[in-house]
Amino acid sequence: MKRIIVIILLVIVVLFGAVLAIPVFFKQNILTTAKTTLNKQLNAEVEFADLKLSLFKNFPKVTVGLQSVLIKGKGEFAQDTLLNVPHIAATMNLSSLFSSSRSIEEIILEKPVLNLLIAESGNVNWDVAPASGSAKKKSAATANAQEFQLALESIEVNDARLIYNDELAKMYADLEDINLDISGEMFGNTTQLNIGGVVNDLTYRMEGVTYISNTSLDLRTLLDVDFETMLFSIVESELLVNRLPLELSGDFSVPNDTTFLNLQLKTIASDFENFLALVPKDYEAYLKHITTTGSATISGGISGYYIDEDYPKTDLQVKVVKGNFKYADMPEEIKNISAEMLIAKPQGALDLLKININKAHAEIRNNPVDLTLKISNPVSDLQFDGAFVGKINLDHLKDALPIDSVNISGIIDANLFAKGRYSDVEAEAYDKIKSDGVVLLNNFVYDSPDLTQQVIIPSGQLDFSPQHINLGNFLLKVGGSDFRLSGKVSNYLNYVMKDGTLKGNLQLNSNFVNLNELLRLQVVEEEPAQSSDPAVIGQEPETLAFDVPENIDITFRSTINRAVFNRIPITDIKGEVRAVNKKLILDGLDMNMLDGKMTLNGSYENTTQNQPLFDFGFDIAGFDIPTMYHTVAGFRKLIPGAGTSSGKLSTRLGMKGQLSPQLKLIAATTNGKGSFSTNNVEIKDSPMFNQLSGILKKEKLRNVTIGDFTANLTVEDGSILLRPFTTRVIGQETTIRGSLNAESLLDMRMDFNVQREMFGPDIQKILAVLPGNEKITMLPAGVLLKGPVGDAKVNLDLSATQKAVTDATKDDLKKSLDEIGKGLKKLFK
């Protein structure tokens, strides 16, 4: 008995060891064979990072896993990835590992991305079949192919993505979050397959125009399959587009390079309520608690064949008759909804496609809106013919639709039509385009949680022609600011149809502009400020930086009577402001402010970090110093005692750098150069000059006059470097130089040449006892200012004074050394 137990244990150990060893023995063999076979049979580069075998997951079957599978093109597609699959799992019989013929029963693909590309050359990146070679090569490839056989019963695809980008036809489709499940015997001559698939997000664009977005597809179908003729017949099927149920029938076959299709599509039910299921899923919440009447149907089919650029015939009709819908808690309804749309194309190129909206109509309280549109030649040269006529009372619209996020009111009355070819739009051949119409706005009000102020248009008229939109009597109010706009906007067709640049030349007049309100117009959600100070924890920094829209080139010739920025009143603003391709350009913008004048030139452009780039030139004439002190906080910090002073300041300065999100200078980024000058400056009761009472008469320091001067400066990485200049302070010749660094630390020196009668009484007495003092009529004295702006320390440098006294009295000092020694001791103590 003991021997039998030992033998059984040995058998179990050997079998278990074999199970563990098989993945090791066969891994490299399968990995090498798979890579070699695929690269021989495909005109592409095939790579995968690793291969794993598991005998336990589906025992007695083997699970083979491939990691990071990549298929890259060659030639012009060498930089494009055709297929990227992070993980592929396949199930096969254990016996397949020991035979020359290996069969695969199940395949699972996780998060595959298939990128189909048609280049402008017309070549496609999925043509990976190798060029025909010798019969010997073909025979070898066939032999290799026969090493693998399919006995598939299941294919599962999870979270896939399919991208189709036709650069030649300017067509783009993106199918995201695809989940696919196929079951049935995928071998033999005939079979039935159960297919279930979901596409959670479908996007389709053509010529830069998005026709479908955020749309979901859900397909459940049973197929009869004849593998010999490659004929697939739909036994039963249901297709959900968003939530609209459609019936799909017919068949398709792929006997060779050509695909033959004979498919029909129709709505299962004709109620208008079902048709509303086409609304994208993001807006489904708005369709709750509504009642509907009327009918809506979709019908049509696809028949013919597809090969290369030859597409099958398409005939799809959409019809809505006497549709009405009403929200349960709304007093008004949208009624008499009708529409007829035809999407048709004969067998042939996609350029033969036509879309006709014969008439779309709706009413709210007897205010009708009508739309017609015809589109053809979408690939080669888009032709359009459309009209929109209607009067929309926004107060009535609010009574029919739950517009919770915004508050709007007023009347929009529109009568527009346009007909032409897109090539004429591009060529600006507006004489070949028929376009006319007018849009009238009356008491339009827009109030949104995203804005801090209401936007009001008391009246406005937009006249449309192929060349431009003419603005007439267009009044606009934003908070306390008012604007009157007139002028023309051009290239609007190109802007709307193909991301062209919207151009404009407008006259902007205003009685008052509150820049504080306008800079805070957009509500911006910010992350809480990080601070250890309990008083500011949880506060959000105010963001004033703003973006200039792209694809616009609009010039505003501005005349503004009054404006306010921070606490600074500004009057008589005139000049040009140009918004072009995300940049704001100021050209000769003149204004009166701070009892002086300023001309501003330069540019502003925001960044993704909300730290705008600026490059400004300032030409300031006659700013009043006490007015600056009382209205500009930064000036108060720079010159604390200027509030009781008088005089004018002028400057010419060019500066560039970056601003913070609060539109404050980021000092370390700032560079520039320029000059400044003063006129009739008098500084009263200055704490700094009061510290000079040791050498100058106190009464002279109460009202310090500074002679008119011009000084040059440079700004380097936020540090202001003041070049030496000479002026007169209290009538005394003074040379000034210094710097102010990016941390607002001041380092300045003033070298005085002081006339003898300006010395204080203490120094006069000391000088009086010095032999030869009558020779001293003027003495130099240095003053150093170092430290934070507004609290700099004042120190005297009398080394030059000592030398001047010594030089002037050295001959007489020999006669009375004792007196001189005592005098100097007191003077330079």
Side-chain angles (χ1 to χ4, degrees), residues 749 751 779-782 797-807 828:
R749 180 182 181 94
D751 289 311
L779 286 177
D797 180 5
L798 298 177
S799 56
T801 312
Q802 181 178 0
K803 183 177 183 305
V805 170
T806 302
D807 291 344
F828 302 112

Side-chain angles (χ1 to χ4, degrees), residues 122-166:
N123 296 326
V124 299
N125 72 334
W126 65 83
D127 185 10
V128 294
S132 58
S134 65
K136 184 177 180 180
K137 289 183 179 180
K138 288 182 180 181
S139 177
T142 303
N144 286 329
Q146 288 176 349
E147 292 180 2
F148 285 96
Q149 295 180 0
L150 288 182
L152 273 175
E153 295 181 359
S154 175
I155 297 177
E156 183 179 334
V157 180
N158 298 316
D159 195 12
R161 184 179 183 187
L162 170 61
I163 300 170
Y164 177 83
N165 186 9
D166 188 340

Side-chain angles (χ1 to χ4, degrees), residues 10 75 147 176 219 229 289 294 296 403 463 465 477 504 506 537 560 583-584 619 641 646:
L10 287 174
E147 292 180 2
E176 295 188 71
L219 176 67
T229 60
H289 312 297
I403 308 176
D463 293 304
S465 72
K477 293 184 178 181
L506 302 174
I537 290 178
I560 302 171
K583 183 179 288 189
L584 198 66
D619 190 346
S646 62

Side-chain angles (χ1 to χ4, degrees), residues 424-425 428-434 466-467 490-493:
D424 294 330
V425 175
E428 298 185 7
Y430 297 120
D431 58 318
K432 299 180 181 179
I433 302 172
K434 295 180 180 179
Q467 294 86 352
S490 59
N491 204 42
Y492 71 95
L493 289 173

Side-chain angles (χ1 to χ4, degrees), residues 67 106 117 227 263-264 407 468 674:
Q67 307 293 327
E106 181 185 40
L117 174 64
F227 284 114
L263 300 174
Q264 291 79 43
N407 180 27
H468 54 253

Side-chain angles (χ1 to χ4, degrees), residues 512-517 562-570:
F512 176 70
V513 174
N514 189 330
L515 292 171
N516 300 321
E517 289 181 347
R562 293 185 306 113
V564 62
F565 177 63
N566 288 338
R567 296 189 304 161
I568 305 173
I570 309 171

